[in-house]
Amino acid sequence: MSDANRSALAHLYRRAGFGARPEELALAERRGYAGTVAWLLDRVPTDPGVAATPAPSLALPEPPGSRAGSAARKRFQLAFARQQRQLTMWWLDRMASVDNPLTEKLTWFWHTHFATSVQKVRSPALMLRQNEIFRSMGSGGFDALTLTVARDPAMLIWLDAAQDRKAHPNENFSRELMELFTLGYGSYSELDVREAARCFTGWHYNRRTDQFAELPAQHDDGVKSVLGFTGHFDGADLIARLTHTNASKAWVISRLWSRFAMPIPHYDQMTSALLPAYGSALDIGSLLKAILLHPNFLSPTVRSGLVKQPLEYVVGTLRALRLPADSPALIPVLTALGELPFVPPNVGGWPENESWLSTGSSYERLRFAATAAARADLSAVADEPVAGRVDAAAQVLSVDGWSRTSAAALRRVADDPQRLMTLALIAPEYVLN
């Protein structure tokens, strides 16, 4: 197979996963590009990486009441912190261990799209439940996914929708539902937000019994008018209508292309080109297949169009260097880099691209790269003659090659495999996604 095809497959693995190991790239070459896309989209029920990383058993913590003493509050905080670490380390381990990475990459995408923070939800168990929704429904219909997430306890708590009352409709959830989740900014009015909030009145989550319910006595069953639709809508009716609008289709397509290919605006020729794949079924899996197979996906502009997000950088490095995600130090690393799972900065999720190229981020990447290189078995590089180690480092990290400047810098430390790998991990060719 040609270098061009190998390069295309490495790009595919970076975007649909976290980068390819040499043996994964060799297997992908045998499958071919279209065959590898099909394999990535085909959930593997017996993935050994999934079997080796069962989800943790987390008890639903009961937050201390307003009359609880300091000892009870401290016990809860310690238990909460322990479960949050357990949950975070488990997901990092899952992402680093799976054979087929697309399901975890898509789960990560939906976590950034429906960004929810454990800091407010105060229950790692509920965050895990939401995470499983993204994993099990993330490649299905967007309308079903959105409705399930909307009724999910973590989201209800996060956006204050768990106690929505007829007399006091909560606009927080309805606003974010339109602006961030389904339509995009500018596709609705303030009146639409107020009317939409009425649709969700009566939605209730009982934390003590862990039950969601729609309370008829608290639901506003009057006529609402949202985006020109008029009727006695409830929350499910509204989500069904919102997700099937042209604005929503363009928004979802643009978000997926922006995260898997390169950033584009809400309305773009790519959203029109991909619309048939998304279709009336709002089929995320079909849309993702069309993205990965689109000729523009392999264009030079797209290949250089994304910077690795910190989580992608850390997980990709663990996979490339065959390091287990077993070090508690990964949590402060991701915290310092500004992208710790389950703790987004706000409901808008994490920023993209150039935001991760700050001086502070570069310093934290260097510190992590040095630690990872020190822990890794670098025999694939060290066993090569010094003259061949720079190319060997590129093969380990599945980058096509180095620029003249990067290659010159790497050659200067090629006699020291650990320093060589450290510099390779912070080279632009690896930091770009």
Side-chain angles (χ1 to χ4, degrees), residues 317 321 323 368-378 417-422 425:
T317 300
L321 300 185
L323 292 171
F368 171 70
T371 303
R375 291 182 63 202
D377 174 2
L378 299 178
Q418 186 174 319
R419 290 183 66 198
L420 170 61
M421 185 54 70
T422 300
L425 287 169

mmCIF file of all heavy atoms in Angstrom, residues 317 321 323 368-378 417-422 425:
data_model
loop_
_atom_site.group_PDB
_atom_site.id
_atom_site.type_symbol
_atom_site.label_atom_id
_atom_site.label_comp_id
_atom_site.label_asym_id
_atom_site.label_seq_id
_atom_site.Cartn_x
_atom_site.Cartn_y
_atom_site.Cartn_z
ATOM 1 N N THR A 317 -1.336 9.670 23.616
ATOM 2 C CA THR A 317 0.029 9.366 24.051
ATOM 3 C C THR A 317 0.075 8.047 24.824
ATOM 4 O O THR A 317 0.979 7.223 24.622
ATOM 5 C CB THR A 317 0.569 10.515 24.920
ATOM 6 O OG1 THR A 317 0.572 11.717 24.134
ATOM 7 C CG2 THR A 317 1.973 10.227 25.411
ATOM 8 N N LEU A 321 2.282 4.920 23.398
ATOM 9 C CA LEU A 321 3.420 4.421 24.186
ATOM 10 C C LEU A 321 3.050 3.196 25.014
ATOM 11 O O LEU A 321 3.849 2.734 25.831
ATOM 12 C CB LEU A 321 3.958 5.537 25.084
ATOM 13 C CG LEU A 321 4.451 6.796 24.364
ATOM 14 C CD1 LEU A 321 5.080 7.774 25.345
ATOM 15 C CD2 LEU A 321 5.463 6.432 23.268
ATOM 16 N N LEU A 323 1.055 2.782 27.513
ATOM 17 C CA LEU A 323 1.068 3.034 28.949
ATOM 18 C C LEU A 323 -0.335 2.847 29.511
ATOM 19 O O LEU A 323 -1.312 3.286 28.890
ATOM 20 C CB LEU A 323 1.544 4.471 29.232
ATOM 21 C CG LEU A 323 3.004 4.769 28.907
ATOM 22 C CD1 LEU A 323 3.265 6.271 29.029
ATOM 23 C CD2 LEU A 323 3.925 3.999 29.853
ATOM 24 N N PHE A 368 4.046 16.612 30.792
ATOM 25 C CA PHE A 368 3.419 15.306 30.620
ATOM 26 C C PHE A 368 4.233 14.435 29.663
ATOM 27 O O PHE A 368 4.443 13.231 29.910
ATOM 28 C CB PHE A 368 1.995 15.462 30.096
ATOM 29 C CG PHE A 368 1.368 14.155 29.681
ATOM 30 C CD1 PHE A 368 1.013 13.212 30.636
ATOM 31 C CD2 PHE A 368 1.165 13.858 28.336
ATOM 32 C CE1 PHE A 368 0.451 11.988 30.253
ATOM 33 C CE2 PHE A 368 0.605 12.652 27.952
ATOM 34 C CZ PHE A 368 0.252 11.719 28.916
ATOM 35 N N ALA A 369 4.715 15.032 28.562
ATOM 36 C CA ALA A 369 5.491 14.271 27.575
ATOM 37 C C ALA A 369 6.757 13.693 28.215
ATOM 38 O O ALA A 369 7.111 12.529 27.971
ATOM 39 C CB ALA A 369 5.855 15.171 26.397
ATOM 40 N N ALA A 370 7.419 14.477 29.038
ATOM 41 C CA ALA A 370 8.641 14.001 29.682
ATOM 42 C C ALA A 370 8.344 12.840 30.629
ATOM 43 O O ALA A 370 9.085 11.846 30.671
ATOM 44 C CB ALA A 370 9.310 15.152 30.433
ATOM 45 N N THR A 371 7.258 12.949 31.370
ATOM 46 C CA THR A 371 6.876 11.872 32.292
ATOM 47 C C THR A 371 6.502 10.607 31.529
ATOM 48 O O THR A 371 6.909 9.497 31.897
ATOM 49 C CB THR A 371 5.694 12.328 33.166
ATOM 50 O OG1 THR A 371 6.060 13.516 33.865
ATOM 51 C CG2 THR A 371 5.306 11.254 34.161
ATOM 52 N N ALA A 372 5.712 10.773 30.463
ATOM 53 C CA ALA A 372 5.282 9.607 29.680
ATOM 54 C C ALA A 372 6.481 8.924 29.025
ATOM 55 O O ALA A 372 6.596 7.691 29.038
ATOM 56 C CB ALA A 372 4.274 10.042 28.623
ATOM 57 N N ALA A 373 7.389 9.708 28.464
ATOM 58 C CA ALA A 373 8.570 9.123 27.814
ATOM 59 C C ALA A 373 9.444 8.393 28.827
ATOM 60 O O ALA A 373 10.057 7.365 28.505
ATOM 61 C CB ALA A 373 9.366 10.223 27.113
ATOM 62 N N ALA A 374 9.489 8.898 30.052
ATOM 63 C CA ALA A 374 10.304 8.251 31.082
ATOM 64 C C ALA A 374 9.703 6.916 31.515
ATOM 65 O O ALA A 374 10.432 5.993 31.913
ATOM 66 C CB ALA A 374 10.439 9.180 32.287
ATOM 67 N N ARG A 375 8.371 6.787 31.437
ATOM 68 C CA ARG A 375 7.710 5.548 31.872
ATOM 69 C C ARG A 375 7.663 4.497 30.768
ATOM 70 O O ARG A 375 7.507 3.306 31.055
ATOM 71 C CB ARG A 375 6.270 5.840 32.307
ATOM 72 C CG ARG A 375 6.110 6.650 33.586
ATOM 73 C CD ARG A 375 4.625 6.799 33.909
ATOM 74 N NE ARG A 375 3.977 5.513 34.165
ATOM 75 C CZ ARG A 375 2.669 5.293 34.061
ATOM 76 N NH1 ARG A 375 1.875 6.262 33.689
ATOM 77 N NH2 ARG A 375 2.172 4.103 34.313
ATOM 78 N N ALA A 376 7.757 4.923 29.531
ATOM 79 C CA ALA A 376 7.454 4.023 28.418
ATOM 80 C C ALA A 376 8.625 3.107 28.069
ATOM 81 O O ALA A 376 9.789 3.431 28.315
ATOM 82 C CB ALA A 376 7.074 4.855 27.194
ATOM 83 N N ASP A 377 8.282 1.959 27.486
ATOM 84 C CA ASP A 377 9.273 1.085 26.874
ATOM 85 C C ASP A 377 9.545 1.642 25.480
ATOM 86 O O ASP A 377 8.700 1.538 24.581
ATOM 87 C CB ASP A 377 8.717 -0.336 26.786
ATOM 88 C CG ASP A 377 9.658 -1.281 26.027
ATOM 89 O OD1 ASP A 377 10.756 -0.828 25.618
ATOM 90 O OD2 ASP A 377 9.286 -2.451 25.845
ATOM 91 N N LEU A 378 10.712 2.229 25.281
ATOM 92 C CA LEU A 378 11.025 2.883 24.015
ATOM 93 C C LEU A 378 11.928 2.022 23.138
ATOM 94 O O LEU A 378 12.664 2.534 22.302
ATOM 95 C CB LEU A 378 11.686 4.243 24.286
ATOM 96 C CG LEU A 378 10.830 5.252 25.065
ATOM 97 C CD1 LEU A 378 11.603 6.543 25.312
ATOM 98 C CD2 LEU A 378 9.537 5.565 24.310
ATOM 99 N N PRO A 417 16.982 8.204 23.472
ATOM 100 C CA PRO A 417 15.596 7.900 23.078
ATOM 101 C C PRO A 417 14.536 8.599 23.940
ATOM 102 O O PRO A 417 13.474 8.983 23.436
ATOM 103 C CB PRO A 417 15.528 6.379 23.239
ATOM 104 C CG PRO A 417 16.930 5.915 23.038
ATOM 105 C CD PRO A 417 17.789 6.988 23.665
ATOM 106 N N GLN A 418 14.828 8.750 25.225
ATOM 107 C CA GLN A 418 13.823 9.388 26.095
ATOM 108 C C GLN A 418 13.644 10.865 25.738
ATOM 109 O O GLN A 418 12.521 11.354 25.636
ATOM 110 C CB GLN A 418 14.243 9.245 27.561
ATOM 111 C CG GLN A 418 13.195 9.742 28.548
ATOM 112 C CD GLN A 418 13.590 9.447 29.984
ATOM 113 O OE1 GLN A 418 14.103 8.369 30.292
ATOM 114 N NE2 GLN A 418 13.369 10.402 30.861
ATOM 115 N N ARG A 419 14.742 11.569 25.543
ATOM 116 C CA ARG A 419 14.653 12.979 25.145
ATOM 117 C C ARG A 419 14.053 13.104 23.747
ATOM 118 O O ARG A 419 13.267 14.014 23.465
ATOM 119 C CB ARG A 419 16.035 13.635 25.176
ATOM 120 C CG ARG A 419 16.606 13.841 26.579
ATOM 121 C CD ARG A 419 17.931 14.566 26.516
ATOM 122 N NE ARG A 419 17.785 15.927 26.038
ATOM 123 C CZ ARG A 419 18.791 16.666 25.558
ATOM 124 N NH1 ARG A 419 19.999 16.138 25.466
ATOM 125 N NH2 ARG A 419 18.579 17.894 25.149
ATOM 126 N N LEU A 420 14.423 12.183 22.883
ATOM 127 C CA LEU A 420 13.871 12.200 21.521
ATOM 128 C C LEU A 420 12.354 12.058 21.553
ATOM 129 O O LEU A 420 11.622 12.810 20.893
ATOM 130 C CB LEU A 420 14.505 11.060 20.712
ATOM 131 C CG LEU A 420 13.873 10.769 19.342
ATOM 132 C CD1 LEU A 420 13.978 11.977 18.426
ATOM 133 C CD2 LEU A 420 14.549 9.554 18.697
ATOM 134 N N MET A 421 11.847 11.086 22.333
ATOM 135 C CA MET A 421 10.392 10.885 22.376
ATOM 136 C C MET A 421 9.702 12.079 23.040
ATOM 137 O O MET A 421 8.602 12.488 22.636
ATOM 138 C CB MET A 421 10.069 9.588 23.117
ATOM 139 C CG MET A 421 8.584 9.236 23.111
ATOM 140 S SD MET A 421 7.845 9.185 21.449
ATOM 141 C CE MET A 421 8.641 7.711 20.782
ATOM 142 N N THR A 422 10.328 12.659 24.044
ATOM 143 C CA THR A 422 9.737 13.835 24.686
ATOM 144 C C THR A 422 9.555 14.968 23.679
ATOM 145 O O THR A 422 8.471 15.577 23.583
ATOM 146 C CB THR A 422 10.626 14.325 25.854
ATOM 147 O OG1 THR A 422 10.749 13.278 26.806
ATOM 148 C CG2 THR A 422 10.031 15.555 26.513
ATOM 149 N N LEU A 425 6.817 14.253 21.103
ATOM 150 C CA LEU A 425 5.446 14.402 21.614
ATOM 151 C C LEU A 425 4.985 15.848 21.661
ATOM 152 O O LEU A 425 3.783 16.113 21.781
ATOM 153 C CB LEU A 425 5.350 13.778 23.014
ATOM 154 C CG LEU A 425 5.368 12.247 23.067
ATOM 155 C CD1 LEU A 425 5.542 11.771 24.509
ATOM 156 C CD2 LEU A 425 4.089 11.672 22.473
#
